[in-house]
Amino acid sequence: MTTALPLASSVIGTVRSASAGQSGSAAQQAAAQQAAAELEYKRQQDAAQAAAAQAALEQKYREEAAAAERNAQAAAAARQQQAQLEAEAQARQWSHDAELRQREQELQRQKDEAAAAAAAAARAKEMDDYRSSQEQTLAQLRASQEQTVRAKESDAQTQLAQLTAAADAAEQRRLAALRQAVSKTRAGLGARGVTAQDGSGEAILLGLTNSSETERKGAQATDQLKRAAIQQSLDEAKRRNLLELSQLADRQRLEYMSKFF
């Protein structure tokens, strides 16, 4: 536009100079040329203005596009920053949640271990208490049996002592009776004129002695049978006690296994 204006001015000046030296039609021609020059000048001005307006409009568009680009970039950067902040916040939240879950799991594990330990301790105590109760029952039975056995042994000793005393007394009576019978028999033999050295007298005395010996052996056999019966009764009581203890121990063992295993 700036180069077109001096050109138009020079054309107008030339036309005006030519029109001053001409006359008639030449003046008209010059006027026409001047009008054409003015029109061209105006056209050039309009074109220059239009170009300037177009350039200004394009500049405005470029500036607006640049501003829009900057705004878009700023918005994108802001969104990216916001997304990054949100992602970081989400990551922190996830990390926090994971830490809380881990703590809860650890607390639950500790609670489970404590509960398991308490249950194990309670079970062990229950087993010990149950076993102690069984042992106490077994000990009570054993003590009762021992007391019964001691009473039976004492009674057996008393009975044996009584048997011994009775046997001694019977032996003393037998001997006294034998002596008395021998004395009477000798006296009777002497009255008949028979001595103990004679065969018949000796046979009579020997018969008395044998009869007394048989009585002694019978008394001893009876005494031994009585003593054996007393000992057998005591032995049977001890065997019954052992059997009762064994049966109770077996029953307790089965009860213990069925209760705890």
Side-chain angles (χ1 to χ4, degrees), residues 119-137:
R123 176 180 171 81
K125 185 178 184 304
E126 184 182 5
M127 293 172 69
D128 291 340
D129 292 343
Y130 193 82
R131 192 59 185 169
S132 297
S133 176
Q134 287 185 330
E135 291 177 353
Q136 183 178 3
T137 301

Side-chain angles (χ1 to χ4, degrees), residues 5-248:
L5 291 177
L7 178 60
S9 298
S10 63
V11 172
I12 294 172
T14 304
V15 172
R16 288 177 178 175
S17 299
S19 62
Q22 295 176 353
S23 61
S25 60
Q28 292 177 352
Q29 184 178 5
Q33 291 178 349
Q34 182 178 0
E38 290 177 354
L39 288 175
E40 179 64 20
Y41 176 73
K42 186 176 183 304
R43 186 187 64 78
Q44 291 179 355
Q45 284 183 334
D46 291 340
Q49 291 176 356
Q54 182 66 30
L57 184 59
E58 292 177 354
Q59 180 65 25
K60 179 181 178 183
Y61 288 159
R62 285 193 297 271
E63 291 176 353
E64 289 178 352
E69 180 66 21
R70 288 193 298 274
N71 291 335
Q73 292 177 354
R79 287 194 300 273
Q80 183 178 3
Q81 184 178 7
Q82 182 64 26
Q84 183 177 358
L85 292 176
E86 291 177 356
E88 291 176 353
Q90 185 66 45
R92 288 193 298 272
Q93 184 64 38
W94 286 346
S95 177
H96 180 67
D97 293 343
E99 184 178 357
L100 288 179
R101 285 195 300 271
Q102 185 176 2
R103 290 179 181 177
E104 290 176 356
Q105 292 174 355
E106 179 64 20
L107 288 176
Q108 187 62 40
R109 185 188 65 79
Q110 293 177 357
K111 289 180 181 179
D112 293 341
E113 289 182 353
R123 176 180 171 81
K125 185 178 184 304
E126 184 182 5
M127 293 172 69
D128 291 340
D129 292 343
Y130 193 82
R131 192 59 185 169
S132 297
S133 176
Q134 287 185 330
E135 291 177 353
Q136 183 178 3
T137 301
L138 196 65
Q140 289 174 350
L141 177 60
R142 186 180 291 108
S144 176
Q145 289 178 344
E146 290 176 354
Q147 183 177 2
T148 302
V149 168
R150 284 195 298 270
K152 285 183 174 297
E153 288 177 344
S154 177
D155 186 55
Q157 293 294 330
T158 301
Q159 292 179 10
L160 291 175
Q162 290 175 351
L163 287 176
T164 300
D168 292 342
E171 179 66 13
Q172 293 297 326
R173 288 194 299 273
R174 184 189 66 81
L175 293 175
L178 177 60
R179 285 194 294 270
Q180 184 177 6
V182 169
S183 297
K184 287 182 178 180
T185 300
R186 284 180 176 178
L189 292 173
R192 293 195 301 270
V194 180
T195 63
Q197 287 76 21
D198 293 338
S200 58
E202 184 178 1
I204 294 172
L205 293 176
L206 183 60
L208 291 175
T209 303
N210 290 336
S211 176
S212 179
E213 182 65 19
T214 301
E215 182 183 355
R216 184 186 67 80
K217 289 181 179 180
Q220 286 182 344
T222 302
D223 184 74
Q224 289 176 356
L225 288 175
K226 290 180 179 180
R227 290 176 181 273
I230 293 172
Q231 186 62 43
Q232 183 178 2
S233 175
L234 185 60
D235 293 339
E236 287 178 354
K238 291 180 180 180
R239 283 194 296 270
R240 283 196 304 271
N241 290 344
L242 291 176
L243 181 60
E244 288 179 0
L245 287 174
S246 177
Q247 290 176 343
L248 178 59

